Amino acid sequence: MLEKVYFELEDNVELVGLLYAPEVKTDEVVISIHGMQSNCLKRRSDILAGIINKANISYFEFDNRGANLMCYTKKTDGTKVLNGGSVYEDVLECYYDIKGAIDKMISLGYAKIHLQGHSLGCTKIVYAYNKLKDEKYENLDKIKSIILLSLVDLVGIQKYDLGLEKYNETLAFAIAKEKENKTMELMPFDSFDHPISVKAYLRYFRDNEKIDFAKFSDASYDFKELNNITIPLFLRWGENDLVVQPLDELIDLLKQKIHNKTLNIGYIKGTDHGYSGKEDILGKEIVDFIQN
C-alpha cells in the first residue's frame, strides 16, 4: 500500500512524503532521508521499499527542504520562502525535517524506527540524531538503528576535486561575496558539481563544525559524532562511490575508529554512489541488519 503523507514541522514548514506499508499492519518503519538534489521519487526507493515491506516493515521517504535543485519552502501559514532546494538550503535545518518525520510516524502508530540516509542524508541523520540525543528527545528510545548509505567526506571530496589552491580561492570568493551581502548569489559554475549559493557553500565549507565529521583523510580524528551512536549502526558504500581513498582502507580505518558494538560496515561490488543495478542486494542487506 502506498500513501501520500503530509506533516508539519516545529518551524512551521510543511513537507510531504510517500509511506510504503506492507499488507499486514506493522509498528516498524524505515525513515529514509534522501541526498543532495534528490527527492522521494526514485527507482531505488521503490525497490528498497518493496524488499523492506516483504519483511513486514514500512518504508517512509519524504522530500526534505533540500529536495531537488531549487524550491521555495512552504510555510503552514501559506507563505513561501526561497531557502529550499540544494542551492539554498541550510543543512542544519534538517533537524526539524527529521524530528518532524519521526514524530509523524509515531503519531501513525510506529514504535520501532530505523533512520536511513543516503549521501548528504547520512550527514543530516548523524547531525540530527546527536542533537536529539543532546536534547534528551522524549522518543529517542524508539529509534532502533541508524543506516548510512554512502556517507561522504564533503570537505575531503571538495579539496580532492578542486585541488587545495583552487579550493582556497573558491572559499575566499564566497567570503568576499558575504562581505558584499550577496550570499543568495550563485557560486561560479566550476565551484561545485551543481549550482550552489554562496550561503550554502559557506555552510558546507566554512561554518561546518557541526557537520564536518566524516573526516576520512584525517587519521587522528576520533569520529566522536559517529561514536555517539550506540544503537546498531550500518554503513555501506558502492564500489565506485564518492570516496577518495580505496574503500578497503577506509573500512579498515573505520573499524578501528568506530566503537559501536553492532557495527555492520562494508561495500557492494559492481555499483556506484546510487547503487545502480544492485538495489536488491542493498535492500536484502538492510533487512538482514534490521532483523538480526
Side-chain angles (χ1 to χ4, degrees):
M1 182 176 71
L2 182 60
E3 177 185 358
K4 187 182 290 184
V5 176
Y6 292 89
F7 58 106
E8 298 177 1
L9 312 182
E10 286 182 3
D11 64 342
N12 300 318
V13 169
E14 182 181 70
L15 298 178
V16 61
L18 298 176
L19 177 62
Y20 302 75
E23 293 182 6
V24 179
K25 184 175 174 57
T26 178
D27 67 347
E28 192 166 15
V29 64
V30 171
I31 297 177
S32 176
I33 313 300
H34 64 69
M36 199 177 288
Q37 309 182 64
S38 190
N39 55 52
C40 65
L41 300 174
K42 296 188 298 296
R43 182 174 183 271
R44 183 177 70 245
S45 300
D46 290 340
I47 295 172
L48 293 182
I51 294 170
I52 289 170
N53 281 177
K54 287 179 181 178
N56 201 36
I57 301 167
S58 291
Y59 188 91
F60 180 59
E61 183 161 2
F62 63 96
D63 280 1
N64 61 59
R65 72 188 74 199
N68 304 310
L69 197 58
M70 185 186 303
C71 65
Y72 286 91
T73 293
K74 182 182 177 182
K75 297 285 186 174
T76 51
D77 63 2
T79 60
K80 295 189 296 183
V81 183
L82 184 59
N83 65 351
S86 293
V87 172
Y88 291 111
E89 80 164 323
D90 181 346
V91 69
L92 298 188
E93 292 179 342
C94 72
Y95 167 78
Y96 299 109
D97 300 354
I98 294 170
K99 183 175 182 292
I102 294 170
D103 289 340
K104 183 62 178 181
M105 290 299 104
I106 290 172
S107 76
L108 295 178
Y110 291 101
K112 301 173 185 175
I113 293 169
H114 307 276
L115 294 179
Q116 172 189 293
H118 176 252
S119 194
L120 183 64
C122 298
T123 303
K124 292 179 176 182
I125 283 179
V126 175
Y127 165 72
Y129 182 80
N130 274 271
K131 186 173 174 65
L132 289 169
K133 195 170 183 179
D134 289 344
E135 295 182 349
K136 296 180 171 55
Y137 174 54
E138 61 182 355
N139 290 311
L140 193 71
D141 63 331
K142 290 182 171 61
I143 304 174
K144 302 302 182 181
S145 75
I146 301 292
I147 299 164
L148 305 179
L149 309 177
S150 298
L151 175 63
V152 176
D153 176 0
L154 289 168
V155 175
I157 285 289
Q158 182 72 350
K159 288 180 177 178
Y160 178 81
D161 286 346
L162 294 184
L164 188 56
E165 182 177 354
K166 177 68 173 178
Y167 173 84
N168 290 332
E169 290 175 357
T170 303
L171 188 55
F173 175 90
I175 292 170
K177 283 293 183 181
E178 180 186 43
K179 291 178 180 177
E180 297 173 10
N181 294 317
K182 296 179 178 179
T183 57
M184 297 300 281
E185 289 191 3
L186 298 183
M187 295 289 292
F189 77 96
D190 58 349
S191 300
F192 203 56
D193 65 354
H194 66 72
I196 189 170
S197 65
V198 171
K199 167 194 164 188
Y201 195 89
L202 288 173
R203 170 63 75 195
Y204 290 128
F205 302 112
R206 186 192 66 182
D207 307 323
N208 58 3
E209 65 277 2
K210 295 180 179 179
I211 59 170
D212 184 23
F213 45 71
K215 298 182 179 182
F216 298 154
S217 298
D218 185 352
S220 66
Y221 192 66
D222 61 3
F223 293 91
K224 59 183 181 296
E225 295 84 0
L226 289 171
N227 279 314
N228 198 37
I229 300 171
T230 55
I231 57 177
L233 178 61
F234 178 97
L235 288 101
R236 283 296 182 280
W237 290 268
E239 184 177 17
N240 304 307
D241 217 315
L242 301 180
V243 178
V244 174
Q245 54 273 86
L247 271 172
D248 288 323
E249 292 181 11
L250 174 60
I251 289 170
D252 285 344
L253 171 69
L254 294 180
K255 283 180 178 178
Q256 297 174 36
K257 293 284 188 174
I258 299 175
H259 309 305
N260 189 293
K261 293 180 180 179
T262 51
L263 177 66
N264 186 318
I265 186 170
Y267 65 91
I268 295 176
K269 293 183 177 180
T271 190
D272 53 17
H273 186 64
Y275 302 91
S276 304
K278 303 293 182 179
E279 299 93 343
D280 56 337
I281 295 175
L282 176 63
K284 290 173 184 175
E285 290 189 1
I286 290 171
V287 168
D288 287 345
F289 166 72
I290 290 174
Q291 292 181 329
N292 296 318

